[in-house]
Amino acid sequence: MASDPQRVERLCVAGSFCLFDKKLRSSGNSSIVWGLLNLVIGVALIAGKSNWGAVSLLFGLALVAAGIYERTVRDPQVIIISAATMAVLALWDFTLIGMAAMGKVHLIAGGRTLFWAIAQAWGAYATWKTYSTYKTLLEKSDPLTVQQVRIYVDELKKSKPEQSVDLIQFEVNAGFAQGTKRYRLKPVEDLYLAVRYKSQLGSLQLEEVNFVPRSEVTLSAEGEKWMSKKIKASVQLGPLKLDKVTITPAMAARINPTARAISIGHT
């Protein structure tokens, strides 16, 4: 039976909102860290008899407050406040660099201040760009659906697919620049919850949340080469085709039951 398009769209919107929400919390954490760094710099400047330390303290407190606000408040206004705070902080750091060049202040963090200023300026711009997207998601998303999808996503990250009976996991080589992407699929009635992570240094960073009809997920084994008991394959995930997939025969069989037989034939 075909999946209800409106239901799929509703779940996809909820998934996108959950992803955005996690990014917003991460951005809030970053604002708090930047704020604490400025508090430390402010204290050091005051200890060095510099009146500019008070300004750094104020910016630090403002960033901590903005970070807490960003983590807890769910309103489009939070995007503007966060972007504006980061932009002002970047301007302040550039000002410190200019005053240091004139010999008026000493940069406690040295050359790292320039790196911070550039990162903050870019962060302010990237945050500001997301305003319309977040506003649209907030208007279109259903709170109950968002809460259910959030539970699904959290459970999926904590899960061990190899110990389950229906979860699917595979990896995609996205090239040197993007590294390895790990996909996990969870059956939700006639759909798959498809989650993509960036696998880096033993941790998983959430990058995408989507829902795809189970009938639109297929796997095709490719070649006869084995890699640590994994087979090479391509996976069709709705309209998206994933090449350079590595997957265990057991996981492959959960998508395509003939994949196990194919892998046995290649041993």
Side-chain angles (χ1 to χ4, degrees), residues 186-204:
K186 174 184 175 66
V188 179
E189 298 178 9
D190 58 334
L191 305 173
Y192 273 124
L193 164 62
V195 177
R196 186 185 76 207
Y197 306 93
K198 181 177 181 180
S199 180
Q200 190 174 31
L201 301 176
S203 65
L204 295 177

Side-chain angles (χ1 to χ4, degrees), residues 182-254:
R182 180 172 297 175
Y183 285 78
R184 285 183 178 175
L185 276 57
K186 174 184 175 66
V188 179
E189 298 178 9
D190 58 334
L191 305 173
Y192 273 124
L193 164 62
V195 177
R196 186 185 76 207
Y197 306 93
K198 181 177 181 180
S199 180
Q200 190 174 31
L201 301 176
S203 65
L204 295 177
Q205 180 181 346
L206 184 65
E207 289 190 331
E208 185 178 54
V209 179
N210 202 2
F211 284 85
V212 182
R214 295 175 69 172
S215 60
E216 297 181 14
V217 178
T218 59
L219 176 142
S220 301
E222 297 180 350
E224 301 184 358
K225 293 184 178 179
W226 278 67
M227 297 178 60
S228 302
K229 297 183 179 180
K230 293 183 179 181
I231 59 175
K232 290 184 176 182
S234 62
V235 173
Q236 191 72 39
L237 203 58
L240 177 65
K241 183 178 181 181
L242 301 171
D243 296 313
K244 298 182 179 179
V245 171
T246 55
I247 185 171
T248 64
M251 293 291 171
R254 295 177 185 180

Side-chain angles (χ1 to χ4, degrees), residues 96-168:
L96 283 178
I97 293 170
M99 290 190 298
M102 293 184 289
K104 293 184 177 181
V105 297
H106 172 69
L107 294 178
I108 304 299
R112 286 190 292 268
T113 305
L114 177 59
F115 169 77
W116 292 349
I118 294 173
Q120 290 154 0
W122 173 252
Y125 174 70
T127 300
W128 173 75
K129 281 182 57 179
T130 63
Y131 174 82
S132 59
T133 301
Y134 183 67
K135 186 174 184 294
T136 301
L137 288 174
L138 195 61
E139 291 172 349
K140 294 177 63 177
S141 60
D142 171 60
L144 292 177
T145 305
V146 168
Q147 181 61 26
Q148 185 61 62
V149 172
R150 183 178 288 120
I151 292 173
Y152 286 154
V153 172
D154 290 341
E155 289 177 347
L156 194 56
K157 186 171 183 179
K158 297 175 184 177
S159 68
K160 296 182 178 180
E162 66 278 2
Q163 297 180 6
S164 70
V165 296
D166 57 359
L167 299 183
I168 299 167

